[in-house]
Amino acid sequence: MAPFAKPESVLRRADELIAVGQHAAALEALHDVIISKRSRSVPLASLEPIMLKFVELCVSLRKGKIAKEGLHQYKNISQNTSIATIELVIRKFIQLSEEKVQEAQAKADQITLDGLDDLEATETPESILLSTVSGEQNKDRTDRAVVTPWLKFLWEAYRTVLDILRNNARLEALYQTTAHQAFHFCLKYTRKTEFRRLCDLLRNHLQNIAKYAHQPHSINLNEPESLQRHLDTRFQQLNGAAELELWQEAFRSVEDIHNLMTMSKKMPKPFMMANYYEKLTKIFMVSDNYLFHAAAWNKYYTLVKTQNKSVTDEEQTRMASLALLSALAIPVVSTKDTGYEVDESKNKSHRLAALLGLNRSPNRASLLKEALSKNILKHVRPELRELYNILEVQFHPLSICKKIEPIMTKLTEDPELVKYVKPLHQVILTRLFQQLSQVYTTVKLDFVIQLASFAAPFNYDSATIEKFIMQGCKKGELSIRIDHATQSLTFETDLFAVDNKTVTDGPVLQSLPADLMRTQLTRLATCLNTTVSMISPEIVEAKKEAKKAAFMKALVGMKEDHKLALERKAIIERKKELIETMLARKEKEEAREKALRIQAEQEALKVRLAEERRKREEDRIRAEQDAIRKTESLKLAESLKNKVGVELNDEDLDNLDKDKLVAIQIKQLEKEKSEMATRTKAIGKRLDHVERAMRLEERPLLAKDYERQQRADRVYHEAAVKAHFEAAAAKHAHELMLKKRMIKIVDDYRQTRHEMEERREEEFAQRREAARIRIEEEKARRIQLYRERKAENEARKIREEKEHAEREAEAARRAEEEEKRRTERAAQAAKEREEYEEERLKLDAMAAKQREKEAAIEARLSGSRTGSAAPVTPPRFVPSSSGGEKPSWRERVAAKEAAAAAGEAAPAPAPAPPAGAYRPPGSRATEPPRRDTPPPRREPAPAPQAEEPAPTRRPLFGNATGGGWRDREAAKKTQ
């Protein structure tokens, strides 16, 4: 990585690279400065221009990942110091991305216009053929090539910014603004998939708020401002989902809003709640949940009527009509098998009721009763008022459909009310059967079809009516039996049936037998009470007197109750004022504590920053010291490896010196080798004994086990064969009986199969012809597509060959330059090597002279001590070309003569091996001691003998006259 440079220099260098067209190099230079650790100590005033230039280059080059990395780093640097600079950079990033999309859109439009040569020209045969083969138009292809890359980049920019700003209370306002811009982007370009991903992203961020609440600057949803911002964003999300018709996302948004409202201490604004209920009506209508759709319309109508006093009569009539019609359209008998039944989806119904702010699940009767209590019939349209009377008040089973048909015609003409026509027909059919059951016991099916006659496409046939009756009977709403032999319907009555509320909701002509049986005791008690009152008038008088006394007592206590009520009202008002005063005081205290907390956080932040700077400085110094120590240890380890071949790690280098390292390594290797050999030998011996013992014990048991397995297998085989025979006999008997039953329908089966085969052969022929036509069309389209691709491939091949030639020329030029630089470096290295060799030879010559002087001194000292022994002339050494020391042949002859004169047979010294080579122990005494090893230990000289000359003392430097270790051992033994 390049060394860290000043921000001003890097910015100036980036401008120069941009001026010459090298935008990628400029971006790389700015990126290196931003992600560097040393950039944390750079002032923000110097770093902000670099970031602005950085995001500009990232947008122009469409480098989204690099921009994300740089923005993350810049947020970590500046979030504790200045929020304004982060907002400035991010707003600049989003603005530039949006401008690029707009420019691409304008460019695509211009390309489309330029492609039109003549505005008055009609389509040519070529254009017609091309439009037939290709499904996309010229504008679609242009948008995909020009606009789509920038749309992708803008979407990634929104996601990057939201990911950077999440869970940060200081950047929350910018986070919500960016989320609104992302919603607007999805709506403007109709991006449904991106809208779903955006909703999931925001929902994930909201869930992680509680998870990361311990982090600094985290969002606190208990604060009203933060909660209101999140509510505004979720309402924007709900509006976008409804506009894009993403109803599942809309329902999830409603759940998010409900959860946030549950956490909030204050209710949202009325217009926001009205929007909330209006979107719920659309969601429930799309999901065919007419019950909660009507409940949502009821809440919406109540809210608008109570909060908006300036609503017009026309708007009030429209809302009242929709509220009443949605309640009337709730099916009395559900036609779905998976409806919102209590035993199947009770929890789901409670959850939907909670979204509407209801304590329990609504029903059709309660919604109609609530609508009537608000005098809604006064504001609805006349035909809807008449519809309510026909369905809920009047009793006319023979003319209900004829009366309702004109109303249905008017509803079909209204685009806002036509969606209620289908469920209303189900309600009408239910009322028809309920009213017929109170008048008739048995009716013809044709008569019912005639009564339920509607205009197409809502007309009913016998199959549809039969299916509806089966659904109603299955859910217990109807009790009808169908007789296919006589084509009639029989309304059955159970005298002991449980009271069904849905049947009694509509108009009733007379009580059913079950109702009479259920209320006979009540009617008998009422009749007896009336008889007693007529026989004994004094009982009536006593009741009148008791009633009069109760009224007098109530009048006496009314004043006292009124006084107590006034006192309670005053107490309540006083408590209310006290509570308001306490709440205001509490809010002021919370504001003061919040200010103190913010001030304390700022002071703690300053202290923490200072402590971090101090720790960074200490860490830097410690790291430099560790690096120096590690470098020295590595040098020592490399020296040991080259000389001895020892493997070392960093821990050994930190804790041990070189001598201990070598000793420990050798000792550990020997120990491991010995332990491994011992352990392997013991394990092999133990396994051998165990296996031999197991085989000896196993041999007499194998025969017995084999006999036992034979007996068990024989018993199992006999049982299996017997069971198989019994199962086969039973199966054969069953199949004979089944054949006897099935043979009766063979003729019908063959006839039906023949008809189905003929019909399917016709369908197959038609499909085969259609497939042949499609294959021909697809073949023509693919031929044209192949020609276009072939032309594109040829053009691309020519372009690639040209680029390849340019790259080869550039590579040749670079290779030539690299060869030139390599030659220059080789010449420089040779020159340095020659200078190093000359310097080394000078040093070797000086060392040789020093050793000659020391050898001469040692020889003189040895001669003065021995007396009779002739002084040994030390050999003269000359430096060899290989860096070692090698005596000449004259010196070797003189050394032999001197040794013979002294009475010793000394062999001629061998040539010195090159430096760094291996030397046997016997020849190491002749080499000078190394500077990195301690001097050799002196051996004590043997005692002088009478018949032998006194031995000379071993010299400190140079060659020893006593031979090798064998000579020293022999001297010790003779001593």
Side-chain angles (χ1 to χ4, degrees), residues 824-839:
E824 293 176 356
R825 286 196 299 268
Q828 182 69 20
K831 183 178 179 182
E832 293 176 356
R833 195 180 304 109
E834 291 177 358
E835 294 176 355
Y836 174 75
E837 290 293 335
E838 293 178 359
E839 184 68 22

Side-chain angles (χ1 to χ4, degrees), residues 97-134:
S97 302
E98 292 177 347
E99 289 177 356
K100 287 294 183 181
V101 172
Q102 294 175 2
E103 292 176 2
Q105 189 70 44
K107 184 179 179 181
D109 295 341
Q110 186 63 36
I111 292 173
T112 304
L113 292 176
D114 293 342
L116 297 177
D117 297 333
D118 189 0
L119 297 177
E120 296 181 358
T122 58
E123 290 188 350
T124 61
E126 292 80 3
S127 62
I128 296 175
L129 182 61
L130 182 61
S131 62
T132 304
V133 175
S134 178

Side-chain angles (χ1 to χ4, degrees), residues 289-337:
N289 193 340
Y290 300 107
L291 176 61
F292 285 96
H293 170 73
W297 263 120
N298 189 14
K299 297 288 289 185
Y300 176 75
Y301 175 72
T302 304
L303 181 63
V304 173
K305 185 178 180 181
T306 55
Q307 298 294 334
N308 191 3
K309 302 299 182 181
S310 61
V311 63
T312 60
D313 295 339
E314 183 180 356
E315 182 65 20
Q316 187 174 2
T317 301
R318 186 187 72 85
M319 291 187 299
S321 301
L322 288 171
L324 179 62
L325 188 59
S326 62
L328 290 175
I330 299 174
V332 181
V333 177
S334 178
T335 58
K336 294 184 178 181
D337 294 336

Side-chain angles (χ1 to χ4, degrees), residues 674-689:
S674 176
E675 290 179 354
M676 181 59 69
T678 305
R679 189 162 54 249
T680 304
K681 184 177 180 180
I683 291 172
K685 188 176 182 180
R686 184 169 62 253
L687 288 176
D688 190 13
H689 286 287

Side-chain angles (χ1 to χ4, degrees), residues 54 69 400 508 662:
F54 173 75
E69 184 179 358
I400 180 173
V508 178
V662 175

Side-chain angles (χ1 to χ4, degrees), residues 692-708:
R692 187 181 297 113
M694 288 178 62
R695 293 189 180 186
L696 290 175
E697 294 293 332
E698 185 184 28
R699 185 177 298 169
L701 300 176
L702 290 176
K704 296 180 181 180
D705 184 68
Y706 179 69
E707 293 177 358
R708 183 185 59 80

